Amino acid sequence: MEKKSHRAKSNLIQKLILPILWVLLAALLVHLALYRGLGNISVSYGKTKTGHNLCPPGYFRLGALRNCSPWLSCEAIEREVRKLKRVGEGAVKRVFLSEWKENKVALSQLTTLELQDDFLHGLQMLKSLQSKHVVKLLGFCEEEFLILTEYHPFGSLKNLNQVLNLPKYKDSNTWHRRFMLAIDYVSIIHYLHNSPLGTFVMCDSSDLDKVLSQYLLTSDFHIVVNDLDALPLVNRRAGELIRCGHQELHGEFVAPEQLWPYGPEVLFEDSLMPPYDEMTDIWKIPDVTNFLLGDAEGSDLVRFHLFDIHLACKKSPAERPSAEKVLDSYKKVLAALVRGTVIPGTRDML
């Protein structure tokens, strides 16, 4: 009787060993996939040009085209680009959905000659700062004040909630997707602050809507900066700081150092306004990220984990973290949150 009982226990143990081994193997594979994914996140956001174009400067690749094409000239734009309809207009540019070789493209045209300096400055920045963070330049015509860029049908970042509320994209309306967009945004700020040409400041940022209008939402849910018309250069070695425009700024969205410091009894005068630096961009990061996170399930937990770094962003300019430090903090929070959501599920399996 005892032998039968012992044999039954042995058979039961043998039957259980294989399923347990499979579960352990599955858990190991999940862990490996997770950490590999986190490694890819870290690597992908540390580079600036990989995957954007893979073409030499002055060339681009678009859509299904295999070969790199040179930026289109005035003649090529006039001959090969066909306007379809106007899709947007700002103070400096009027934007038309257009077509080039069966590809949808965006053709921007100067609105008024009074703003031609801003237009040409924006074009120069687009030419000089091409990377995965910047909208792809396809061509230009300085004589006719035309800029041709890649078309992104979702439009500006202001449309984010509207897009994610569509039934087609409801599965993308998650805290993870939205947080990745925030990481995109901070990555762009980091790139502009550490560009090959120096430290640039996003000056078209007097309120949230203005900031969001400077960026485009891509079809694969990434962000690229589109409007570089107001992008002054900070040159600390030469002691050159910046001022954003020549008008008095108001409100809580702009950084305190951008506000008129002498009170209402002193009439605003541009020449008396103290200059400032790129830390104004850092001040605005928490407000932009708050919009990007939205009200998706889990977004409040992300905000909780970002509380300390966002608090630091609201300190005095000298105490604010660099864009690189903010980006590193965002990546660490993402890694911690992903571990917290994936690994406990694996433990439940065990």
Side-chain angles (χ1 to χ4, degrees), residues 294-312:
D295 57 1
E297 184 179 352
S299 60
D300 285 341
L301 180 61
V302 179
R303 289 183 179 91
F304 173 78
H305 283 278
L306 296 177
F307 180 82
D308 288 340
I309 190 64
H310 282 176
L311 191 64

Side-chain angles (χ1 to χ4, degrees), residues 147-166:
I147 299 175
L148 192 70
T149 55
E150 186 173 15
Y151 175 68
H152 295 284
F154 288 162
S156 84
L157 201 51
K158 291 194 295 184
N159 300 328
L160 175 63
N161 290 329
Q162 181 181 347
V163 170
L164 288 178
N165 284 332
L166 294 173

Side-chain angles (χ1 to χ4, degrees), residues 191-228:
Y191 174 68
L192 294 177
H193 288 184
N194 300 272
S195 83
L197 302 181
T199 300
F200 290 101
V201 182
M202 286 294 289
C203 264
D204 264 345
S205 55
S206 56
D207 57 54
L208 179 60
D209 270 3
K210 190 66 174 174
V211 171
L212 299 174
S213 70
Q214 311 302 303
Y215 300 86
L216 296 173
L217 179 64
T218 68
S219 297
D220 58 349
F221 289 100
H222 285 285
I223 299 174
V224 291
V225 62
N226 178 57
D227 195 337
L228 301 175

